[in-house]
């Protein structure tokens, strides 16, 4: 029963949501939106579980002084301080001079921006290491890459106006066509996976045997 | 060092090269080449420019500090243009860490153009729900956001007067980093309610929106920092993005050079068995 | 006072004077009722704005909304179902010579089916029909042939390699919530990978960036270990929630890679900007990397930086191909068949459109 009940719930809810998309009747629409709201609420509750898991694992590692335990202390302290500061300031947490905003501006903003900026370095090293021109297709790809990289910055137009024009053509025609093909395939894959889950053909995700 | 030996080049040298080519132009502006706006940026600019003054514009800042290098300059330039044109701005964010960035651009541009919060613009803040928020706004914006970012009831805010749903919105300006973002706005709002829309997105995701631009569902598109720089030039307020173009130009040339160098090193070295 | 009374009377009592333009009103199609669409062709001479007024048949006009002088359409969503309304556009500032005609009666009604989505229903119906047909054939014993996908064969190899080296496998299920289909597909694959890891007693670590995904992933891994009779090997720390913040998650996972140096990285799910950060770090620690995503913009990074990449539908087909289950393989054939149909329609539609026949393309339009 433990495995059958989730499958039945998935089937009923999945078929309802599928059919409800086609039916604008207010009662059906209300149920459709209601189910979506429930999903948001359930996901919201899982954050409690997530934070509890985070604290459980890290406090245990700190108490046992496992490897890198000082970093776990920093994580726990950061979590608790931010939560306490945010809750204590209430609606005023959005004020420019609030402590919460100070934490946001001083720690959160620069750290996330820094992680994203690592991409610039990694792209360069990946380009050096992995972009091997071993075939005609790879050569065409490399030529397209050069045109795009130079055409997308002011330098390209300064060298010759045909470069940004060529970059635009590459993006609007061949790139678009290939991408649409991949998207159509992926969309069919999405449909197939969704139907397999709704009909109970795939049970692994729910912890069952398929 | 021979070309073959370059195969084992420590990648930290590559990192150093990128770092220098980005930091030096930011510190000492070279003006390698002027920024020339593309048709996509012009479309974005013109869509706002041709709106009647006093029109209601929905500005969605769907990004967080991670992509602020690309999205923040376009967000700020958009608010500047909207305020210069005296639009009524209803701002919101679908990323939890988005509202402070929206607050910041509204405050900076508001001081420049002497606009007052509540009277000329409002920040409705963040709402969880992704596409569901958009769908609910189609029914009623005040019910979806009963209070603004400061906790003030929206039915007491002058700029929100008469705003019920998308029928009163003349243009959607979406600054987006991914999901939820431009695609969801087009699918949930533009296709249902036919509200004109323009979008500013990260460079890596810009190609995904070309079909929408071609189909007319987007009237303009800014792609990455280059798009932001083009837009800053059109708005007449060159800023962070324009300053970054020199660095980006040199970085792109460097990456192209790395591809060539990597292949030369590969050709010069001993041949392995089948690669991957 | 007299001027005001005259204006009020002219708005609410008398029909529009000469050269009035027509106004069409009708039920808003494909909706749940409560809405009437009013449309018109804006005249050459128009006021700054219009006041849209409405009356029930036999009643008096009352204002409903103010619309811009250049507008040509308004949806009145305050209408009661079944009540007949008549509409008129009144110029503002008042000028009876610019007012529209009174529209014919129109009433809002509930529609039971959204006909604008009929084309989607047709495609879905064809897909369902093919799906059930192929599943029936599979259950009847028909064996299907699929092309080899190198990345799939490499999954078991990768786990085996990790076992031989005495190192672990890192499974990253993407950065989207559990309601995303890519994450669901990742959970399905995780179950299969966990079975292999349990059989070989290979350490399997699954850092998640959403509590919802953590909940499901934990259950999937625990059950997988139990299914192969290796619950004793399962550790509760294998699956953990790291953080929901995208780049903090990347930093944490990169840290795990650099410290624990897994022999195999499986990056299967929805990824965004962090894809190259993960893949490059994984390469730096010498792990074999298999990636799979349907996010088109991240595929190039995975193709360049990983050993094997499952692109788009290969990723969704992976679980069916790994399972070797007849019904799941039948669903793959259905997907392939629909794809062939779509290619045929695209080619035919392009040819027809070239000769000015757009009916096929228009049928499949969703705008």
């Amino acid at each position: 029963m433990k495995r059958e009940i989730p499958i039945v719930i998935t089937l009923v809810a999945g078929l309802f949501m599928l059919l409800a998309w086609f039916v604008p009747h207010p009662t059906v629409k209300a149920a459709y939106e209601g189910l979506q709201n429930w999903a948001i609420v359930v996901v919201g509750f899982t954050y409690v579980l997530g934070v509890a898991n985070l604290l459980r694992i890290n406090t245990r590692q700190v108490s046992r002084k496992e490897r890198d335990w000082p970093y776990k202390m920093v994580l726990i302290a950061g979590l608790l301080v931010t939560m306490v500061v945010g809750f204590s300031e209430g609606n005023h947490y959005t004020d420019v001079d609030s402590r919460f905003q100070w934490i946001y501006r001083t720690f959160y903003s620069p750290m996330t921006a820094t992680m994203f900026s690592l991409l610039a370095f990694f792209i360069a090293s990946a380009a050096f290491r992995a972009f091997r021109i071993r075939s005609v297709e790879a050569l065409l790809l490399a030529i397209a890459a050069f045109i795009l990289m130079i055409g997308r910055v002011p330098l390209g137009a300064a060298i010759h106006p045909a470069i940004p024009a060529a970059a635009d053509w590459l993006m609007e025609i061949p790139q678009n066509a290939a991408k649409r093909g991949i998207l159509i395939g992926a969309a069919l894959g999405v449909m197939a996976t969704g139907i397999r889950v709704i009909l109970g053909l795939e049970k692994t995700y729910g912890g069952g045997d398929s | 060092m021979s070309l073959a030996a370059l195969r084992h080049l420590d990648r930290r040298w590559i990192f150093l090269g990128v770092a220098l080519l980005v930091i030096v132009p930011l510190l000492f502006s070279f003006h390698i080449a002027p920024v020339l706006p593309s048709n996509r940026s012009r479309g974005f600019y013109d869509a706002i420019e041709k709106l009647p003054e006093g029109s209601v514009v929905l500005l969605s800042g769907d990004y967080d500090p991670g992509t602020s290098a690309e999205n923040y300059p376009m967000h700020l330039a958009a608010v500047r243009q909207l305020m210069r044109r005296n639009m009524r701005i209803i701002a919101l964010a679908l990323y939890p860490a988005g509202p402070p960035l929206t607050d910041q651009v509204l405050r900076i541009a508001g001081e420049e153009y002497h606009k007052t919060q509540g009277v000329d613009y409002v920040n409705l803040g963040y709402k969880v729900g992704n596409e569901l928020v958009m769908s609910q706004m189609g029914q009623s914006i005040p019910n979806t956001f009963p209070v603004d970012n400061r906790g003030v009831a929206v039915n007491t805010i002058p700029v929100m007067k008469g705003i019920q749903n998308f029928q009163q919105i003349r243009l959607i300006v979406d600054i987006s980093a991914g999901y939820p973002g431009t695609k969801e706005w087009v699918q949930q709002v533009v296709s249902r309610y036919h509200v004109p829309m323009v979008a500013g997105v990260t460079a890596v995701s810009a190609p995904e929106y070309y079909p929408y631009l071609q189909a007319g569902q987007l009237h303009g598109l800014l792609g990455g920092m280059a798009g932001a720089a083009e837009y800053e030039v059109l708005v007449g307020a060159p800023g962070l993005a324009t300053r970054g173009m020199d660095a980006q130009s040199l970085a792109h040339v460097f990456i192209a050079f790395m591809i060539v160098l990597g292949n030369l090193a590969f050709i010069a070295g001993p041949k392995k068995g089948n690669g991957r | 006072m007299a001027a005001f009374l005259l204006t009020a009377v002219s708005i609410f009592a008398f029909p529009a004077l000469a050269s009035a333009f027509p106004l069409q009103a009708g039920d808003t199609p494909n909706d749940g009722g409560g809405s009437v669409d009013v449309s018109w062709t804006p005249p050459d001479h128009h006021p700054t704005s219009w006041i849209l007024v409405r009356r029930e048949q036999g009643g008096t006009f009352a204002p409903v909304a103010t619309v811009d002088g250049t507008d040509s359409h308004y949806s009145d969503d305050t209408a009661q179902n079944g009540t007949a309304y008549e509409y008129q556009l009144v110029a503002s500032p008042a000028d009876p010579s610019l007012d529209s005609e009174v529209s014919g009666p129109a009433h809002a009604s509930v529609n039971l089916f959204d006909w604008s989505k009929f084309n989607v229903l047709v495609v879905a119906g064809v897909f369902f029909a093919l799906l059930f047909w192929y599943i029936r054939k599979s259950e009847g014993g028909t064996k299907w042939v699929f092309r080899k996908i190198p990345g799939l064969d490499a999954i078991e190899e990768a786990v085996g390699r990790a076992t031989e080296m005495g190192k672990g496998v890192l499974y990253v299920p993407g950065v989207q919530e559990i309601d995303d289909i890519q994450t669901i597909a990742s959970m399905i694959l995780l179950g299969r990978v966990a079975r292999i890891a349990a059989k070989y007693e290979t350490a399997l670590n699954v850092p998640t960036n959403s509590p919802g995904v953590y909940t499901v992933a934990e259950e999937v891994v625990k059950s997988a270990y139990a299914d192969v009779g290796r619950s004793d090997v399962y550790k509760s720390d294998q699956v953990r929630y790291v953080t929901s913040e995208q780049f903090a998650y990347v930093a944490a996972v990169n840290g795990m890679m650099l410290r624990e140096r897994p022999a195999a990285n499986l990056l299967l799910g929805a990824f965004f900007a962090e894809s190259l950060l993960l893949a490059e770090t994984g390469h730096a620690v010498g792990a074999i990397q298999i990636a799979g995503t349907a996010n088109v913009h991240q595929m190039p990074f995975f193709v360049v930086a990983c050993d094997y990449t499952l692109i788009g539908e290969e990723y969704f087909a992976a679980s069916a191909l790994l399972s070797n289950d007849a019904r799941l393989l039948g669903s793959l054939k259905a997907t392939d068949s629909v794809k062939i149909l779509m290619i045929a329609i695209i080619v035919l539609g392009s040819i027809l459109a070239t000769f000015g026949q757009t009916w096929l393309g228009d049928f499949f339009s969703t705008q």
Side-chain angles (χ1 to χ4, degrees), chain A residues 46 53 60 68 108 129 202, chain C residues 211 214 237 245 259 280 319:
Chain A
T46 61
N53 172 261
R60 193 177 61 214
D68 297 325
Y108 179 80
R129 173 182 66 77
E202 287 275 17
Chain C
Y214 156 70
D237 286 0
E245 164 51 42
R259 285 190 301 273
E280 270 298 285
S319 65

Side-chain angles (χ1 to χ4, degrees), chain B residues 41-112:
Chain B
S41 317
R42 275 192 200 283
F44 189 109
Y45 177 81
D46 289 343
I48 296 176
E49 204 63 16
K50 72 178 190 215
L51 283 176
E53 281 206 7
S55 298
V56 180
V57 174
L58 188 79
L59 173 68
S60 190
D62 305 329
Y63 69 101
D64 61 17
T67 57
S68 54
E70 292 183 286
N71 290 132
Y72 182 86
M74 47 177 83
H75 199 186
L76 180 58
V79 174
R80 282 179 168 141
Q81 188 187 4
L82 289 169
M83 287 189 174
R84 176 171 58 75
R85 300 276 296 121
N86 298 317
M87 304 298 178
R88 287 164 64 186
I89 303 172
I90 300 173
L92 62 117
L94 295 175
Y95 274 48
L101 292 163
T102 302
D103 262 341
Q104 194 171 329
V105 298
L106 289 170
R107 191 171 30 85
I108 291 172
E111 282 166 9
E112 288 172 7

Side-chain angles (χ1 to χ4, degrees), chain A residues 3 18 21-26 43 46-47 49-51 53-54 56-57 60-61 67-68 108 112 115-116 118-119 122-123 125-126 129-130 179 182-186 188-197 199 201-202 204-210, chain C residues 30-32 110-114 117 120-121 127-128 131 135 177 181 184 188 191-192 195 211-212 214-216 220 223 227 237 240-242 244-245 247 251 259 273 276-277 280-281 283 296 299 304-305 313 316 319 327-328 331 335 338-339 342 346:
Chain A
R3 286 180 179 177
L18 200 58
W21 189 72
F22 295 97
V23 178
H25 194 283
V43 167
T46 61
Y47 275 91
L49 196 65
V51 170
N53 172 261
L54 198 69
R56 179 179 67 86
I57 289 178
R60 193 177 61 214
Q61 286 172 337
R67 197 175 62 152
D68 297 325
Y108 179 80
T112 47
M115 285 303 299
F116 187 58
L118 287 179
L119 270 178
F122 283 9
I123 283 176
S125 78
R129 173 182 66 77
K179 192 177 71 235
I182 295 174
L183 276 174
I184 289 172
L188 289 171
V190 166
M191 268 172 73
T193 303
I195 284 301
R196 291 200 297 260
V197 168
L199 294 179
L201 297 175
E202 287 275 17
T204 329
Y205 75 94
D209 214 343
S210 81
Chain C
N30 305 316
D31 72 337
V110 175
N111 302 114
L112 289 177
F113 183 78
D114 186 343
K117 295 174 182 169
V120 178
L121 187 66
F127 180 77
F128 272 106
L131 181 78
I135 288 176
E177 273 291 353
I181 195 69
I184 293 175
I188 297 169
R192 308 210 189 281
R195 274 192 183 75
Y214 156 70
T215 318
V216 174
V220 165
S223 299
D227 284 346
D237 286 0
R240 57 172 80 172
Y241 166 63
V242 177
S244 298
E245 164 51 42
F247 289 108
R259 285 190 301 273
L276 188 65
L277 296 174
E280 270 298 285
T281 309
H283 177 266
V296 179
M299 284 173 198
V304 162
E313 65 196 305
F316 292 113
S319 65
R327 292 173 306 169
L328 296 180
S331 75
T335 313
V338 174
K339 203 183 199 186
M342 289 197 143
I346 288 170

